[in-house]
Protein backbone atom coordinates (compact mmCIF):
# COMPACT_ATOMS: atom_id res chain seq x y z
CA UNK A 1 0.00 0.00 0.00
CA UNK A 2 1.36 3.46 -0.80
CA UNK A 3 2.86 5.07 2.26
CA UNK A 4 0.89 8.29 2.21
CA UNK A 5 -2.46 6.53 2.06
CA UNK A 6 -1.96 5.69 5.71
CA UNK A 7 -0.64 8.96 6.91
CA UNK A 8 -2.90 11.53 8.46
CA UNK A 9 -3.00 14.86 6.56
CA UNK A 10 -1.37 16.58 9.52
CA UNK A 11 1.59 14.31 9.17
CA UNK A 12 2.41 14.37 5.47
CA UNK A 13 5.31 16.71 6.01
CA UNK A 14 8.67 15.03 5.61
CA UNK A 15 10.53 14.16 8.75
CA UNK A 16 12.10 17.36 10.04
CA UNK A 17 15.80 17.73 9.52
CA UNK A 18 16.32 19.17 12.96
CA UNK A 19 14.57 20.28 16.11
CA UNK A 20 14.93 23.86 14.99
CA UNK A 21 13.20 23.09 11.71
CA UNK A 22 10.39 21.31 13.54
CA UNK A 23 9.95 24.17 15.96
CA UNK A 24 9.75 26.61 13.07
CA UNK A 25 7.23 24.45 11.22
CA UNK A 26 4.99 24.18 14.26
CA UNK A 27 5.31 27.85 15.13
CA UNK A 28 4.24 28.94 11.68
CA UNK A 29 1.03 26.95 12.01
CA UNK A 30 0.05 28.82 15.14
CA UNK A 31 -1.38 32.27 15.56
CA UNK A 32 -1.13 34.58 18.51
CA UNK A 33 0.97 33.41 21.39
CA UNK A 34 3.61 30.81 20.65
CA UNK A 35 2.71 27.24 21.58
CA UNK A 36 4.28 25.39 24.46
CA UNK A 37 6.76 22.86 23.09
CA UNK A 38 8.47 19.92 24.72
CA UNK A 39 11.36 18.39 22.82
CA UNK A 40 12.49 15.03 24.11
CA UNK B 1 -25.84 18.89 54.51
CA UNK B 2 -27.29 17.97 51.15
CA UNK B 3 -25.39 18.62 47.95
CA UNK B 4 -27.74 21.40 46.73
CA UNK B 5 -27.34 23.16 50.06
CA UNK B 6 -23.59 22.94 49.84
CA UNK B 7 -23.73 24.36 46.32
CA UNK B 8 -25.98 27.15 47.53
CA UNK B 9 -23.62 28.05 50.34
CA UNK B 10 -20.69 28.09 47.96
CA UNK B 11 -22.56 30.26 45.48
CA UNK B 12 -23.74 32.71 48.09
CA UNK B 13 -20.36 32.89 49.73
CA UNK B 14 -18.67 33.56 46.44
CA UNK B 15 -21.25 36.21 45.65
CA UNK B 16 -21.62 37.95 48.95
CA UNK B 17 -18.50 37.55 50.97
CA UNK B 18 -15.23 39.32 50.54
CA UNK B 19 -13.77 37.02 53.17
CA UNK B 20 -11.88 38.92 55.83
CA UNK B 21 -10.51 41.77 53.73
CA UNK B 22 -12.18 45.06 54.61
CA UNK B 23 -14.09 46.73 51.80
CA UNK B 24 -12.63 49.86 50.29
CA UNK B 25 -14.53 53.06 51.05
CA UNK B 26 -15.96 53.79 47.64
CA UNK B 27 -19.42 55.13 46.88
CA UNK B 28 -19.59 53.52 43.43
CA UNK B 29 -18.65 50.04 44.67
CA UNK B 30 -21.06 50.41 47.58
CA UNK B 31 -23.91 51.36 45.27
CA UNK B 32 -23.09 48.48 42.93
CA UNK B 33 -23.57 46.13 45.86
CA UNK B 34 -27.05 47.53 46.26
CA UNK B 35 -27.73 46.94 42.55
CA UNK B 36 -26.75 43.31 43.00
CA UNK B 37 -28.76 42.94 46.20
CA UNK B 38 -31.87 44.34 44.54
CA UNK B 39 -31.56 42.10 41.51
CA UNK B 40 -31.01 38.99 43.61
CA UNK B 41 -33.99 39.78 45.81
CA UNK B 42 -36.24 40.67 42.88
CA UNK B 43 -35.38 37.51 40.94
CA UNK B 44 -36.03 35.33 43.97
CA UNK B 45 -39.30 37.18 44.47
CA UNK B 46 -40.33 36.20 40.94
CA UNK B 47 -39.57 32.56 41.69
CA UNK B 48 -41.38 32.84 45.02
CA UNK B 49 -44.51 34.06 43.24
CA UNK B 50 -44.24 31.17 40.81
CA UNK B 51 -43.89 28.66 43.65
CA UNK B 52 -46.71 29.99 45.79
CA UNK B 53 -50.07 28.30 45.09
CA UNK B 54 -51.81 28.71 42.76
CA UNK B 55 -48.63 29.71 40.88
CA UNK B 56 -48.23 32.06 37.94
CA UNK B 57 -49.91 31.91 34.57
CA UNK B 58 -47.73 30.57 31.76
CA UNK B 59 -45.20 33.14 30.67
CA UNK B 60 -45.62 35.31 33.75
CA UNK B 61 -42.49 34.00 35.43
CA UNK B 62 -40.39 34.69 32.36
CA UNK B 63 -41.76 38.21 32.02
CA UNK B 64 -41.14 38.85 35.72
CA UNK B 65 -37.53 37.68 35.44
CA UNK B 66 -36.95 39.67 32.26
CA UNK B 67 -38.26 42.84 33.85
CA UNK B 68 -35.79 42.49 36.71
CA UNK B 69 -32.88 41.74 34.41
CA UNK B 70 -33.70 44.70 32.21
CA UNK B 71 -33.65 46.97 35.21
CA UNK B 72 -30.21 45.69 36.15
CA UNK B 73 -28.54 45.76 32.74
CA UNK B 74 -30.64 48.39 31.02
CA UNK B 75 -32.27 45.95 28.61
CA UNK B 76 -32.00 47.46 25.14
CA UNK B 77 -30.37 50.58 26.54
CA UNK B 78 -27.20 49.54 28.38
CA UNK B 79 -26.57 53.14 29.47
CA UNK B 80 -29.64 52.84 31.69
CA UNK B 81 -28.27 49.79 33.49
CA UNK B 82 -27.76 50.02 37.23
CA UNK B 83 -23.98 49.80 36.96
CA UNK B 84 -23.75 52.06 33.91
CA UNK B 85 -25.61 54.83 35.67
CA UNK B 86 -23.25 54.58 38.64
CA UNK B 87 -20.19 54.64 36.41
CA UNK B 88 -21.57 57.81 34.81
CA UNK B 89 -22.34 59.32 38.20
CA UNK B 90 -18.90 58.55 39.65
CA UNK B 91 -16.55 58.97 36.69
CA UNK B 92 -13.00 57.74 37.24
CA UNK B 93 -13.76 56.61 40.77
CA UNK B 94 -15.47 53.25 40.32
CA UNK B 95 -13.17 50.42 41.35
CA UNK B 96 -14.45 48.28 38.48
CA UNK B 97 -16.10 48.94 35.13
CA UNK B 98 -17.88 46.88 32.48
CA UNK B 99 -18.77 44.24 35.02
CA UNK B 100 -22.53 44.14 34.54
CA UNK B 101 -22.47 40.78 32.77
CA UNK B 102 -20.09 39.21 35.28
CA UNK B 103 -22.17 40.19 38.29
CA UNK B 104 -25.40 39.28 36.53
CA UNK B 105 -23.95 35.82 35.91
CA UNK B 106 -23.00 35.54 39.58
CA UNK B 107 -26.54 36.48 40.59
CA UNK B 108 -28.00 33.95 38.14
CA UNK B 109 -25.82 31.24 39.69
CA UNK B 110 -26.96 32.18 43.19
CA UNK B 111 -30.62 32.15 42.15
CA UNK B 112 -30.24 28.76 40.49
CA UNK B 113 -28.47 27.35 43.54
CA UNK B 114 -31.21 28.71 45.81
CA UNK B 115 -33.97 27.20 43.71
CA UNK B 116 -32.12 23.88 43.54
CA UNK B 117 -31.64 23.77 47.31
CA UNK B 118 -35.30 24.54 47.98
CA UNK B 119 -36.82 22.40 45.24
CA UNK B 120 -34.65 19.60 43.82
CA UNK B 121 -36.90 19.35 40.77
CA UNK B 122 -35.59 22.73 39.64
CA UNK B 123 -31.92 21.71 39.78
CA UNK B 124 -30.10 22.04 36.49
CA UNK B 125 -28.75 18.69 35.29
CA UNK B 126 -25.03 18.15 35.78
CA UNK B 127 -24.96 14.50 34.74
CA UNK B 128 -26.66 12.25 32.23
CA UNK B 129 -28.21 10.48 35.20
CA UNK B 130 -29.92 13.77 36.12
CA UNK B 131 -31.31 13.97 32.58
CA UNK B 132 -32.36 10.34 32.65
CA UNK B 133 -34.16 10.79 35.98
CA UNK B 134 -36.01 13.84 34.68
CA UNK B 135 -37.06 12.02 31.51
CA UNK B 136 -38.25 8.99 33.43
CA UNK B 137 -40.17 11.23 35.85
CA UNK B 138 -41.84 12.84 32.85
CA UNK B 139 -42.71 9.39 31.49
CA UNK B 140 -40.43 9.92 28.51
CA UNK B 141 -38.15 7.20 27.29
CA UNK B 142 -34.49 8.07 27.90
CA UNK B 143 -32.58 7.67 24.66
CA UNK B 144 -28.90 8.18 23.89
CA UNK B 145 -28.15 11.56 22.39
CA UNK B 146 -26.96 15.12 22.93
CA UNK B 147 -28.19 16.88 26.06
CA UNK B 148 -27.25 20.14 27.73
CA UNK B 149 -25.57 19.65 31.08
CA UNK B 150 -24.30 22.33 33.45
CA UNK B 151 -20.94 22.11 35.19
CA UNK B 152 -21.65 22.36 38.91
CA UNK B 153 -25.33 22.97 38.04
CA UNK B 154 -24.21 26.50 37.21
CA UNK B 155 -26.47 28.15 34.59
CA UNK B 156 -23.44 30.00 33.26
CA UNK B 157 -21.59 26.79 32.48
CA UNK B 158 -23.59 24.82 29.94
CA UNK B 159 -22.09 22.18 27.68
CA UNK B 160 -23.41 19.64 25.25
CA UNK B 161 -22.88 16.10 26.44
CA UNK B 162 -23.51 12.93 24.52
CA UNK B 163 -25.32 10.69 26.98
CA UNK B 164 -24.53 7.03 26.39
CA UNK B 165 -26.27 4.00 27.89
CA UNK B 166 -29.33 6.05 28.80
CA UNK B 167 -31.29 2.82 28.99
CA UNK B 168 -29.15 1.70 31.91
CA UNK B 169 -29.18 2.89 35.50
CA UNK B 170 -25.77 4.52 35.14
CA UNK B 171 -25.57 6.44 31.85
CA UNK B 172 -22.18 7.93 30.99
CA UNK B 173 -21.08 11.28 29.57
CA UNK B 174 -19.01 11.87 26.46
CA UNK B 175 -17.66 15.06 24.93
CA UNK B 176 -18.11 15.21 21.16
CA UNK B 177 -14.99 16.39 19.31
CA UNK B 178 -13.94 16.76 15.68
CA UNK B 179 -13.03 13.23 14.68
CA UNK B 180 -10.46 14.20 12.05
CA UNK B 181 -8.51 16.22 14.63
CA UNK B 182 -8.52 13.66 17.43
CA UNK B 183 -6.35 10.71 16.53
CA UNK B 184 -3.47 8.55 17.72
CA UNK B 185 -0.99 6.63 15.61
CA UNK B 186 1.43 3.74 15.89
CA UNK B 187 3.81 3.61 12.94
CA UNK B 188 6.34 1.03 11.82
CA UNK B 189 7.80 3.45 9.33
CA UNK B 190 5.71 2.13 6.48
CA UNK B 191 2.12 1.73 7.62
CA UNK B 192 0.20 3.25 10.46
CA UNK B 193 -2.31 1.94 12.95
CA UNK B 194 -4.58 4.85 13.70
CA UNK B 195 -7.47 5.39 16.10
CA UNK B 196 -9.77 8.35 15.60
CA UNK B 197 -11.94 9.59 18.44
CA UNK B 198 -15.27 11.27 17.79
CA UNK B 199 -16.19 11.40 21.45
CA UNK B 200 -14.08 11.46 24.61
CA UNK B 201 -15.27 10.03 27.90
CA UNK B 202 -15.46 12.83 30.46
CA UNK B 203 -16.36 12.81 34.13
CA UNK B 204 -18.94 15.62 34.41
CA UNK B 205 -17.96 16.37 38.01
CA UNK B 206 -14.18 16.32 37.86
CA UNK B 207 -13.93 17.16 34.12
CA UNK B 208 -11.23 14.52 33.70
CA UNK B 209 -11.08 12.73 30.34
CA UNK B 210 -10.38 9.00 30.24
CA UNK B 211 -7.78 8.60 27.51
CA UNK B 212 -8.38 4.85 27.32
CA UNK B 213 -12.14 4.90 26.74
CA UNK B 214 -12.63 3.93 23.09
CA UNK B 215 -16.40 3.52 22.97
CA UNK B 216 -16.49 6.11 20.21
CA UNK B 217 -13.16 5.41 18.53
CA UNK B 218 -12.58 3.90 15.11
CA UNK B 219 -9.34 2.08 14.46
CA UNK B 220 -7.60 1.32 11.17
CA UNK B 221 -5.07 -1.38 11.90
CA UNK B 222 -1.63 -1.36 10.36
CA UNK B 223 1.29 -3.58 11.16
CA UNK B 224 1.61 -2.50 14.77
CA UNK B 225 -1.14 -3.66 17.08
CA UNK B 226 -2.58 -1.35 19.73
CA UNK B 227 -0.98 -1.73 23.16
CA UNK B 228 -1.54 -5.15 24.69
CA UNK B 229 -4.96 -5.48 26.21
CA UNK B 230 -6.34 -2.53 24.27
CA UNK B 231 -8.39 -2.54 21.12
CA UNK B 232 -7.47 1.06 20.21
CA UNK B 233 -4.46 3.32 20.30
CA UNK B 234 -5.11 5.43 23.43
CA UNK B 235 -5.86 9.12 22.99
CA UNK B 236 -2.72 11.18 23.59
CA UNK B 237 -0.43 8.35 22.51
CA UNK B 238 1.97 8.10 19.54
CA UNK B 239 4.47 5.27 19.03
CA UNK B 240 7.07 4.64 16.35
CA UNK B 241 8.91 1.37 15.85
CA UNK B 242 10.61 0.57 12.56
CA UNK B 243 12.94 -2.27 11.59
CA UNK B 244 14.96 0.20 9.53
CA UNK B 245 17.25 3.09 10.41
CA UNK B 246 16.30 6.65 9.65
CA UNK B 247 12.87 6.21 8.19
CA UNK B 248 9.65 7.98 8.93
CA UNK B 249 7.59 10.07 9.07
CA UNK B 250 6.97 10.30 12.78
CA UNK B 251 3.89 8.73 14.35
CA UNK B 252 1.52 11.50 15.36
CA UNK B 253 -1.27 12.04 17.85
CA UNK B 254 -3.57 14.95 18.49
CA UNK B 255 -6.28 15.90 20.95
CA UNK B 256 -8.30 18.94 19.90
CA UNK B 257 -11.17 20.35 21.94
CA UNK B 258 -12.10 23.08 19.44
CA UNK B 259 -15.81 23.69 19.38
CA UNK B 260 -16.27 22.72 23.03
CA UNK B 261 -16.28 25.05 26.05
CA UNK B 262 -13.38 23.11 27.57
CA UNK B 263 -9.60 23.45 27.60
CA UNK B 264 -6.83 21.54 29.34
CA UNK B 265 -5.99 22.71 32.85
CA UNK B 266 -2.73 24.54 33.34
CA UNK B 267 -1.48 21.35 35.01
CA UNK B 268 -0.48 20.01 31.59
CA UNK B 269 2.06 22.84 31.33
CA UNK B 270 3.56 22.36 34.78
CA UNK B 271 7.25 21.59 35.24
CA UNK B 272 8.14 22.28 31.62
CA UNK B 273 5.38 20.05 30.22
CA UNK B 274 6.24 17.10 32.47
CA UNK B 275 2.71 15.82 31.81
CA UNK B 276 4.10 14.70 28.45
CA UNK B 277 7.16 12.57 27.86
CA UNK B 278 8.98 10.44 25.34
CA UNK B 279 9.96 6.90 26.28
CA UNK B 280 12.20 4.46 24.46
CA UNK B 281 12.12 0.69 24.70
CA UNK B 282 15.69 0.52 26.07
CA UNK B 283 15.74 3.59 28.34
CA UNK B 284 18.12 5.39 25.99
CA UNK B 285 17.55 9.12 25.41
CA UNK B 286 14.80 9.81 22.89
CA UNK B 287 15.61 11.48 19.60
CA UNK B 288 15.17 15.25 19.58
CA UNK B 289 12.50 15.02 16.92
CA UNK B 290 10.10 13.66 19.53
CA UNK B 291 7.92 16.65 20.25
CA UNK B 292 4.83 17.59 22.23
CA UNK B 293 3.18 20.87 21.28
CA UNK B 294 0.42 22.47 23.32
CA UNK B 295 -1.53 25.30 21.71
CA UNK B 296 -1.42 28.54 23.64
CA UNK B 297 -5.21 28.46 24.16
CA UNK B 298 -4.83 25.03 25.81
CA UNK B 299 -7.47 23.55 23.51
CA UNK B 300 -5.21 21.21 21.57
CA UNK B 301 -1.95 19.33 21.73
CA UNK B 302 0.00 17.41 19.13
CA UNK B 303 2.55 14.65 19.63
CA UNK B 304 5.22 13.34 17.30
CA UNK B 305 7.12 10.11 18.01
CA UNK B 306 10.07 8.75 16.06
CA UNK B 307 13.06 6.48 16.62
CA UNK B 308 15.83 6.73 14.02
CA UNK B 309 17.30 3.44 15.20
CA UNK B 310 16.00 0.39 13.42
CA UNK B 311 14.63 -2.28 15.74
CA UNK B 312 13.79 0.14 18.53
CA UNK B 313 10.60 1.84 19.63
CA UNK B 314 9.85 5.28 21.01
CA UNK B 315 6.61 6.76 22.11
CA UNK B 316 5.53 10.30 22.92
CA UNK B 317 2.59 10.35 25.26
CA UNK B 318 0.32 12.44 27.41
CA UNK B 319 -0.17 11.48 31.08
CA UNK B 320 3.44 10.32 31.27
CA UNK B 321 3.16 8.23 34.48
CA UNK B 322 0.39 6.08 33.01
CA UNK B 323 1.03 5.91 29.27
CA UNK B 324 4.86 5.80 29.13
CA UNK B 325 4.98 2.39 30.78
CA UNK B 326 5.32 -0.84 28.82
CA UNK B 327 2.33 -1.23 26.52
CA UNK B 328 0.99 -4.26 28.37
CA UNK B 329 0.99 -2.35 31.67
CA UNK B 330 -1.22 0.51 30.53
CA UNK B 331 -4.27 0.53 32.77
CA UNK B 332 -5.15 4.21 33.02
CA UNK B 333 -4.76 7.51 31.24
CA UNK B 334 -6.26 10.84 32.22
CA UNK B 335 -6.43 14.36 30.83
CA UNK B 336 -7.71 17.11 33.16
CA UNK B 337 -9.98 19.76 31.63
CA UNK B 338 -11.41 23.05 32.81
CA UNK B 339 -14.48 24.94 31.74
CA UNK B 340 -13.63 28.11 29.83
CA UNK B 341 -16.01 30.88 30.84
CA UNK B 342 -16.89 32.98 27.84
Amino acid sequence: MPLLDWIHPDNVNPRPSSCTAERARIATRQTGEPPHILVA
Amino acid sequence: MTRPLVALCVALLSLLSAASAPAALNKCAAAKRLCVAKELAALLACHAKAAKPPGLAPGKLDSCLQKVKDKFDGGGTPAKGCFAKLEAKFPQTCLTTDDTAALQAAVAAAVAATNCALDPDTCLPSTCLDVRSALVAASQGPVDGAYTLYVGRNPNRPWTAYCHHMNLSQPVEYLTVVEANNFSQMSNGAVVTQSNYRRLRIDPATLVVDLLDDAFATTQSGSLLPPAGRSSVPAGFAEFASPNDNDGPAAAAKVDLAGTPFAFTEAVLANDLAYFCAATDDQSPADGANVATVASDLQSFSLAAIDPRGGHATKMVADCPHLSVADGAITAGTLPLQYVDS
Side-chain angles (χ1 to χ4, degrees), chain A residues 1 3 6-8 10-11 13-16 19 22 26 29-40, chain B residues 180 183 185 190 192 194 221 249-250 254 269 272-273 276 278 286-288 290-294 296 306 308:
Chain A
M1 182 161 294
L3 175 64
W6 284 92
I7 304 302
H8 189 275
D10 269 13
N11 198 29
N13 301 293
R15 186 179 168 212
C19 296
E22 179 64 2
I26 293 169
R29 294 196 316 192
Q30 309 289 333
T31 57
E33 293 179 52
H36 311 272
I37 299 176
L38 167 71
V39 177
Chain B
F183 61 91
Q185 295 178 337
V192 172
Q194 175 165 320
S221 293
K254 186 171 184 179
L269 303 178
D272 197 18
L273 304 187
F276 302 93
D287 185 85
N290 287 279
V291 178
T293 307
V294 183
S296 55
I306 195 150

Side-chain angles (χ1 to χ4, degrees), chain B residues 58 106 115 128 148 180 221 262 283 302 329 334-335:
Chain B
N115 286 334
C128 289
T148 300
S221 293
F262 297 101
Q283 314 302 314
S302 299
T334 60
L335 172 62

Side-chain angles (χ1 to χ4, degrees), chain B residues 52-65:
Chain B
K52 184 178 180 181
L56 291 176
K60 287 288 186 182
L61 174 60
D62 286 343
S63 62
C64 181
L65 296 173

Side-chain angles (χ1 to χ4, degrees), chain B residues 43-309:
Chain B
L43 290 175
L44 288 174
C46 291
H47 287 288
K49 286 178 189 171
K52 184 178 180 181
L56 291 176
K60 287 288 186 182
L61 174 60
D62 286 343
S63 62
C64 181
L65 296 173
Q66 193 60 52
K67 189 177 174 184
V68 175
K69 291 174 186 171
D70 288 349
K71 187 166 185 178
F72 183 79
D73 63 19
T77 313
K80 291 188 175 179
C82 201
F83 280 15
K85 285 194 284 190
L86 291 170
E87 288 169 16
K89 184 177 179 181
F90 302 105
Q92 310 298 323
T93 60
C94 288
L95 300 177
T96 60
T97 57
D98 296 327
D99 49 355
T100 293
L103 270 296
Q104 199 163 37
V107 170
V111 170
T114 301
N115 286 334
C116 178
L118 297 175
D119 179 357
D121 285 347
T122 67
C123 295
L124 293 171
S126 63
T127 66
C128 289
L129 181 58
D130 289 342
V131 175
R132 183 184 190 281
S133 299
L135 290 172
V136 170
S139 300
Q140 296 179 31
V143 295
D144 287 10
Y147 296 91
T148 300
L149 302 182
Y150 296 83
V151 175
R153 301 187 189 282
N154 186 329
N156 306 307
R157 294 188 161 185
W159 65 287
T160 302
Y162 184 87
C163 292
H164 191 43
H165 291 322
M166 286 289 272
N167 59 329
L168 304 179
S169 59
Q170 289 294 330
V172 287
E173 298 78 8
Y174 285 83
L175 179 64
T176 299
V177 293
V178 178
E179 186 173 18
N181 294 335
N182 286 270
F183 61 91
S184 300
Q185 295 178 337
M186 297 176 71
S187 171
N188 72 347
V191 292
V192 172
T193 297
Q194 175 165 320
S195 294
N196 280 71
Y197 290 78
R198 61 186 184 280
R199 297 190 181 101
L200 301 171
R201 171 79 172 100
I202 182 172
D203 184 313
T206 62
L207 305 186
V208 171
V209 165
D210 180 353
L211 297 172
L212 300 186
D213 191 308
D214 61 356
F216 293 98
T218 305
T219 298
Q220 292 177 301
S221 293
S223 298
L224 296 181
L225 296 174
R230 314 232 63 85
S231 54
S232 306
V233 185
F237 182 102
E239 182 168 345
F240 184 93
S242 170
N244 307 312
D245 290 346
N246 297 312
D247 59 353
K254 186 171 184 179
V255 172
D256 188 347
L257 305 175
T260 80
F262 297 101
F264 316 132
T265 70
E266 282 78 6
V268 305
L269 303 178
N271 302 318
D272 197 18
L273 304 187
Y275 172 75
F276 302 93
C277 66
T280 58
D281 61 356
D282 60 356
Q283 314 302 314
S284 62
D287 185 85
N290 287 279
V291 178
T293 307
V294 183
S296 55
D297 63 3
L298 296 183
Q299 274 212 306
S300 70
F301 67 72
S302 299
L303 309 177
I306 195 150
D307 195 323
R309 305 167 302 157

